[in-house]
Amino acid sequence: MSIRRSRLAPSPTGALHLGNACSFLINWALARKNDWELILRMEDLVGPRINLSSIESTQAILSWLGIDWDGETLLQSQDLSPYKDGLDTLISHSQIYHCNLTRKEIEQAASAPHADDPFGKHVIRPKDVQTHNSNWNNEPTNWRFIVHDRQHVLKDELLGKKQFDHLNDFVVWTKNDMPAYQLAVVIDDARQNVTDVIRGHDLLESAAWQSQIYTALGLKEPTWWHLPLVIGEDGLRLAKRHGDTRLLTYFNNGMQPEKIIGLIAKWCNMTTLHETLSTSEFLHGFDIHQLNKDDIVFTKEDEQWLLG
Ligand code: GLU
């Protein structure tokens, strides 16, 4: 039987917070319970480049929580050639087209009715992609992926079948001459042999797009697991307004990591009361099927318990 493999893929754009701890711990526990491998990849193509110390601090936070991973950590920005190869393949398949329109210009084009496309959705897509691409002057430009079928059904292990009805062409390469997230993540998951993608459901629609890239490149799509997000009592995603939930702050203030693990265990319906838990106790009691489908609310009581 071939090995299954999952990945932790933090972006350095924001410091890791409680929501990240929750999805990373679930990801880790699912992998470890099932004898899958788990790799760590630093996704630093969007936003500031990271240096050695921010990789080390991410690794230190994960280790502090008792989360371990297998093998070397991949840093995306270190070598762009795998993404460039993906771009070249998509160009050679006429699966993408260059397009320098701004977002605003695209919106305007899309809202104007057009004879061939009364809804105006595809008005920016060239009719003859091959000829259009052969006129490219080699200047950095946005490259957009052609979504042939705007309807897409995605099978998710936790959420079941999800249907998307209006997928539009999307950017896979930006005019800063950098791979866009959608392309980079597919290239990396494929070359790192990731079989299971476990992450927050804010990336569910991205999975529909990514699925189209897998097909276009003739790659095998991973199994998708989209997790509930951690939100505040106001229903909004965890952010500064909900207090300082950065793991680094907790770490610097000398918080016991067992408190965070215990809180996540409660969120995963493993316990009913606030109690401390070790990572190995968490692993022992964890069952992915006990997770709620709804988002997880970080309450005032949770905060008081954590900081108390
Ligand atoms: N790097 C992304 C993030 O931190 C996650 C991407 C993914 O899991 O596909 O939001």
Side-chain angles (χ1 to χ4, degrees), residues 31-159:
R32 294 302 181 224
K33 269 223 137 84
N34 291 290
D35 286 329
W36 301 349
E37 288 179 356
L38 180 68
I39 55 170
L40 176 62
R41 178 169 75 231
M42 303 297 292
E43 300 208 324
D44 68 333
L45 293 180
V46 180
R49 287 286 165 279
I50 46 180
N51 52 32
L52 212 57
S53 78
S54 56
I55 301 178
E56 279 168 2
S57 104
T58 300
Q59 291 177 331
I61 292 288
L62 292 173
S63 302
W64 175 63
L65 292 173
I67 293 176
D68 65 342
W69 59 93
D70 304 305
E72 297 288 308
T73 301
L74 179 87
L75 180 60
Q76 287 184 314
S77 64
Q78 241 160 21
D79 179 12
L80 298 186
S81 61
Y83 316 115
K84 188 78 180 65
D85 291 347
L87 177 75
D88 291 342
T89 307
L90 292 174
I91 294 176
S92 71
H93 292 177
S94 299
Q95 180 55 62
I96 56 180
Y97 55 93
H98 62 89
C99 166
N100 249 332
L101 296 183
T102 62
R103 193 179 293 234
K104 193 149 177 235
E105 285 166 334
I106 290 169
E107 272 165 23
Q108 277 164 358
S111 62
H114 194 260
D116 297 346
D117 179 12
F119 300 107
K121 297 289 190 266
H122 294 143
V123 82
I124 58 164
R125 189 192 292 171
K127 283 213 169 54
D128 179 347
V129 174
Q130 210 175 347
T131 310
H132 170 84
N133 287 349
S134 65
N135 293 332
W136 176 44
N137 60 7
N138 280 310
E139 289 289 310
T141 175
N142 284 328
W143 286 91
R144 287 179 192 276
F145 184 97
I146 299 174
V147 176
H148 291 291
D149 188 356
R150 302 189 64 211
Q151 233 182 36
H152 187 93
V153 178
L154 188 88
K155 190 171 161 287
D156 185 275
E157 290 302 300
L158 296 174
L159 301 174

Side-chain angles (χ1 to χ4, degrees), residues 5-9 23-24 26-28 30-31 36 38 158 194 196-200 223-227 288:
R5 177 179 288 176
S6 169
R7 61 6 174 228
L8 304 172
S23 53
F24 287 172
I26 292 172
N27 198 339
W28 172 84
L30 187 62
W36 301 349
L38 180 68
L158 296 174
V194 168
D196 292 81
V197 168
I198 301 151
R199 60 188 179 192
T223 301
W224 308 103
W225 309 71
H226 285 92
L227 303 172
I288 187 97

Side-chain angles (χ1 to χ4, degrees), residues 7 9-11 20 43 181 185 189 197-199 202-203 210:
R7 61 6 174 228
S11 295
N20 298 113
E43 300 208 324
Y181 157 70
V185 78
D189 283 337
V197 168
I198 301 151
R199 60 188 179 192
D202 52 327
L203 291 169
Q210 288 160 20

Side-chain angles (χ1 to χ4, degrees), residues 17-24 26 199-202 227-239 241-242 245 250 260 263-264 267-268 291 293-299 302 306:
H17 56 72
L18 263 186
N20 298 113
C22 181
S23 53
F24 287 172
I26 292 172
R199 60 188 179 192
H201 73 65
D202 52 327
L227 303 172
L229 299 178
V230 180
I231 57 175
E233 283 181 322
D234 54 5
L236 299 174
R237 273 190 82 169
L238 219 53
R241 69 180 89 84
H242 303 111
T245 64
Y250 295 152
I260 300 174
L263 180 59
I264 297 172
W267 287 343
C268 292
L291 276 187
K293 290 224 174 16
D294 300 335
D295 283 337
I296 294 163
V297 181
F298 177 50
T299 63
D302 289 341
L306 214 46

